[in-house]
Amino acid sequence: MSIVADLVELAAAVAREAGDLARMRREEGVHLAATKSTLADIVTDADREVEELIRARLREARPGDGFLGEESAADPGSTGITWVVDPIDGTVNYAYGIPAYAVSIAAVEGIADPDQWQALAGAVYAPASGELFTAGRGAGAWLDDRRLAVTVDTPAGALLATGFGYDPATHDGDLATVRSIMPIARDLRRAGAAALDLAYVAAGRLDGYFERGLKPWDFAAGSLLVSEAGGRVTRLDTESLRPMLVSGGIEVHARLLDILGDET
Ligand code: IPD
Ligand code: CA
């Protein structure tokens, strides 16, 4: 098997096991462990436990690889491959009992910086629906065993998604951005899990998705899903504190860049 296929297989197996643990903990009841950057930015005991499980499984399978996760310290590793992990993307949904949350695991090659790395493999697993999205560099994007493709035509306008950061000081600006894109939208979704938003773009369930201020673990796996499904992902304003991620099928991505590129 190729290295890419190996990495996809490992990402998928670990994402499933981790997601099943998250779902079990959810059924037992969720405890908030702490708030992070702001009151809205929460972490549950499950986020930490699930990340520990993922880290341990990846270490067992590939001891020298690096690790970059939401809930624990980064490790550069020695193999040139880094695992970029969000143990529970959509933590607020998770805490409220909304099923839109996912485990996101990517393997990337090169410097552990999203503007420099090359993503090799990704898995996004949504335990509540049982859907497993995977992608391998050059090997396509898949939902279970169905190959994914982004949408091409959006004659009635684009079904778009976005998200908002946790810092209330950023809300006015993000809402102004939403106002600016509404002329090309047939409607807008804010489902609360960036990894799933990107997986849905890959699956043609959304025509495009944009958001400012995402962290690498939010989009590492999902971006590979979109590009392997024939779509485009661009990060704008990368020197700022809140770069803008823009994704979609080729045509919607270009229309979003026309609007959002002028803004940044
Ligand atoms: C968040 C979710 C949300 C997005 C935020 C992310 P978390 O991740 O992906 O949809 O709008 O920007 O931080 O905190 O649930 O892992
Ligand atoms: Ca996240």
Side-chain angles (χ1 to χ4, degrees):
M1 221 174 13
S2 72
I3 171 87
V4 165
D6 281 347
L7 295 171
V8 174
E9 192 181 48
L10 178 60
V14 176
R16 262 191 202 284
E17 185 184 355
D20 291 342
L21 173 64
R23 195 185 48 205
M24 194 173 86
R25 292 290 180 256
R26 170 67 236 177
E27 281 160 11
E28 291 165 3
V30 167
H31 299 109
L32 293 193
T35 57
K36 298 197 284 188
S37 57
T38 66
L39 251 175
D41 190 3
I42 55 173
V43 58
T44 69
D45 290 332
D47 291 81
R48 291 179 175 154
E49 187 186 0
V50 173
E51 181 156 316
E52 270 170 36
L53 173 83
I54 295 169
R55 202 167 181 157
R57 290 289 183 266
L58 294 173
R59 197 185 306 115
E60 277 157 31
R62 297 188 46 93
D65 288 354
F67 187 87
L68 178 64
E70 176 155 23
E71 313 296 346
S72 58
D75 169 6
S78 56
T79 61
I81 290 178
T82 301
W83 292 92
V84 185
V85 170
D86 196 340
I88 300 179
D89 183 49
T91 306
V92 175
N93 285 343
Y94 182 77
Y96 274 74
I98 297 171
Y101 65 91
V103 177
S104 176
I105 301 180
V108 305
E109 191 171 36
I111 296 169
D113 169 333
D115 298 313
Q116 301 194 49
W117 71 42
Q118 196 177 50
L120 299 179
V124 173
Y125 177 57
S129 65
E131 289 185 319
L132 175 66
F133 299 86
T134 57
R137 184 167 206 86
W142 302 80
L143 167 50
D144 300 319
D145 53 7
R146 183 164 65 83
R147 188 152 190 171
L148 301 179
V150 296
T151 55
V152 180
D153 273 342
T154 55
L159 182 61
L160 298 174
T162 191
F164 305 102
Y166 292 122
D167 180 357
T170 62
H171 291 164
D172 278 354
D174 288 348
L175 289 168
T177 299
V178 166
R179 181 185 292 274
S180 74
I181 63 90
M182 284 315 280
I184 67 162
R186 73 184 298 162
D187 206 342
L188 182 79
R189 299 287 179 267
R190 193 290 187 254
L196 279 181
D197 290 327
L198 286 161
Y200 282 18
V201 171
R205 295 175 180 174
L206 290 168
D207 298 309
Y209 162 68
F210 59 93
E211 181 167 349
R212 273 193 178 283
L214 292 173
K215 298 289 192 291
W217 41 81
D218 297 321
F219 62 83
S223 296
L224 183 65
L225 285 166
V226 172
S227 56
E228 285 296 325
R232 299 275 183 277
V233 182
T234 304
R235 290 203 336 129
L236 302 171
D237 212 9
T238 51
E239 299 305 311
S240 84
L241 285 175
R242 303 184 71 230
M244 167 73 85
L245 182 132
V246 182
S247 68
I250 292 174
E251 182 222 357
V252 168
H253 173 261
R255 278 196 275 156
L256 286 171
L257 279 190
D258 273 349
I259 298 170
L260 301 173
D262 284 346
E263 227 187 33
T264 55

